[in-house]
Amino acid sequence: MKKTFFYLATAIALTACTQNSETETLAEENSTTTVAARRSCPSEEIRQQLLSTDASARARYAKIEAGLQSFITSGKVLADGSVDIPVVVNVLYKSSAENISDARIAEQIAILNADFAGTNTDATKIPTEFSGIKAGDTQVRFHLVKTVRKATTKTKWGTNDAMKKSSSGGIDATSPSNYFNLWVVGNMGGILGYATFPESAGLWNDGVVIAAPYFGKTGATAPYNLGRTATHEVGHYLNLRHIWGDASCGNDLVADTPTQTGANYGKPTYPLYNTCSGTSRSVMFMNYMDYVDDAAMFMFSAGQKARSQSVLTSSGARSGLRVY
């Protein structure tokens, strides 16, 4: 079982995901569309850059983690049983294909609700080994408040948050303290999406970005066509880390997820054994916070549920989402 306590200095020193050439050139506006060969999410990498350069962000992060430990120790649950998060979807499109339909947006919201409620149909695939520690209903819900659309001449977007500012051709966030803002852009090269963590709560750039080919199900690009890119990134938004801790046998700060040697890809077969600290056991590759294909991920753990709930309490970093 992994330690649940976090030391800020360790987090800053963690090895980040290797940034490929596609990520480094994402700001280029005239390039051909790159289809992701395998899942890539730079959210933790972006977070480490923020923490290494912003003392106030480090202080907010430390406060969030301290509050999490208090939440887990007290055994509290959300006062009203659940939090229904209001969502604003911001669509930036160059072509009609990128201007995703209202039906596809509704489809993605429904997927988020099913995945976070544990009612997803593929939850039946959770191995018996992990069935006792599955999250089930995380008590997190989502509902669409409005959709904002804007045509653009950009053919490629980066991870520099340009899509989040009208001054750089994007769409400004709608009251990010009280609304979950989700941006859908046409192309981010090899990146499927990225997110901000709770230490960015309420800031101008707070929210999740998803590339249009990987948003929802209808018309989405396989093998990332079941809406799980959004589930993964919303996990980050609610303070969940990659399950391997972004290091070999790293720590995701969740006690009930098995330690693993790194990210998994494709559609692994259970059991998939890894050895960390001399112990060999199957990893939880079907967790939403791994890198497997959409069809191979279908669960959160109870420990991840607690982390998500802690930031949504009345004193949590994302308490503003409870007021709308």
Side-chain angles (χ1 to χ4, degrees):
M1 304 299 275
K2 289 172 290 185
K3 295 180 180 178
T4 57
F5 292 97
F6 175 77
Y7 298 96
L8 184 58
T10 301
I12 295 174
L14 282 175
T15 303
C17 300
T18 301
Q19 188 176 52
N20 59 32
S21 58
E22 291 173 339
T23 305
E24 293 168 352
T25 60
L26 284 174
E28 297 178 6
E29 294 190 15
N30 297 305
S31 57
T32 58
T33 298
T34 303
V35 177
R38 61 182 188 175
R39 192 179 299 277
S40 179
C41 163
S43 300
E44 186 65 44
E45 187 176 340
I46 295 169
R47 177 191 220 181
Q48 296 306 323
Q49 178 63 27
L50 172 66
L51 294 178
S52 68
T53 58
D54 189 330
S56 62
R58 291 196 297 273
R60 293 193 299 272
Y61 184 79
K63 182 178 180 180
I64 290 167
E65 288 300 324
L68 167 67
Q69 297 306 324
S70 176
F71 177 82
I72 292 174
T73 302
S74 69
K76 292 185 296 184
V77 297
L78 298 174
D80 59 356
S82 66
V83 172
D84 191 12
I85 296 176
V87 184
V88 175
V89 176
N90 304 292
V91 181
L92 288 152
Y93 63 94
K94 186 175 187 292
S95 66
S96 58
E98 294 173 356
N99 189 17
I100 57 172
S101 67
D102 290 342
R104 192 162 161 186
I105 293 173
E107 183 179 61
Q108 180 65 82
I109 297 296
I111 292 167
L112 286 173
N113 279 319
D115 288 350
F116 277 85
T119 59
N120 50 302
T121 57
D122 48 3
T124 58
K125 299 178 182 179
I126 297 173
T128 302
E129 177 184 6
F130 302 133
S131 62
I133 55 173
K134 66 182 179 182
D137 186 0
T138 66
Q139 298 179 299
V140 179
R141 302 288 185 272
F142 305 87
H143 74 276
L144 181 68
V145 173
K146 67 176 179 178
T147 300
V148 182
R149 299 178 184 275
K150 183 176 182 179
T152 179
T153 59
K154 274 182 174 283
T155 58
K156 204 169 188 181
W157 297 86
T159 56
N160 63 353
D161 294 333
M163 72 287 293
K164 303 175 183 180
K165 294 189 295 185
S166 58
S167 61
S168 55
I171 300 172
D172 293 334
T174 297
S175 303
S177 292
N178 303 116
Y179 296 90
F180 164 44
N181 279 262
L182 196 162
W183 287 265
V184 183
V185 299
N187 174 30
M188 289 196 290
I191 302 299
L192 279 67
Y194 71 98
T196 54
F197 285 81
E199 62 267 20
S200 296
L203 301 181
W204 67 271
N205 63 339
D206 192 24
V208 164
V209 181
I210 305 291
Y214 315 112
F215 187 87
K217 293 173 63 175
T218 305
T221 301
Y224 312 113
N225 57 345
L226 297 180
R228 264 59 192 272
T229 294
T231 301
H232 177 102
E233 298 305 339
V234 173
H236 287 318
Y237 180 80
L238 295 177
N239 208 28
L240 301 185
R241 298 188 60 196
H242 290 138
I243 194 170
W244 68 98
D246 290 278
S248 179
C249 297
N251 189 353
D252 67 347
L253 310 181
V254 178
D256 60 10
T257 55
T259 306
Q260 60 188 59
T261 55
N264 293 296
Y265 298 91
K267 297 179 181 178
T269 299
Y270 173 86
L272 177 63
Y273 290 100
N274 279 190
T275 299
C276 289
S277 301
T279 300
S280 178
R281 64 170 300 184
S282 180
V283 296
M284 193 186 286
F285 65 80
M286 67 291 302
N287 193 283
Y288 292 122
M289 302 314 295
D290 208 329
Y291 270 4
V292 295
D293 293 352
D294 278 20
M297 55 169 59
F298 37 79
M299 71 173 291
F300 287 119
S301 75
Q304 289 173 320
K305 171 182 176 178
R307 282 187 71 86
S308 297
Q309 285 188 337
S310 70
V311 298
L312 292 168
T313 62
S314 59
S315 58
R318 297 204 179 281
S319 60
L321 296 175
R322 300 168 62 94
V323 183
Y324 52 86

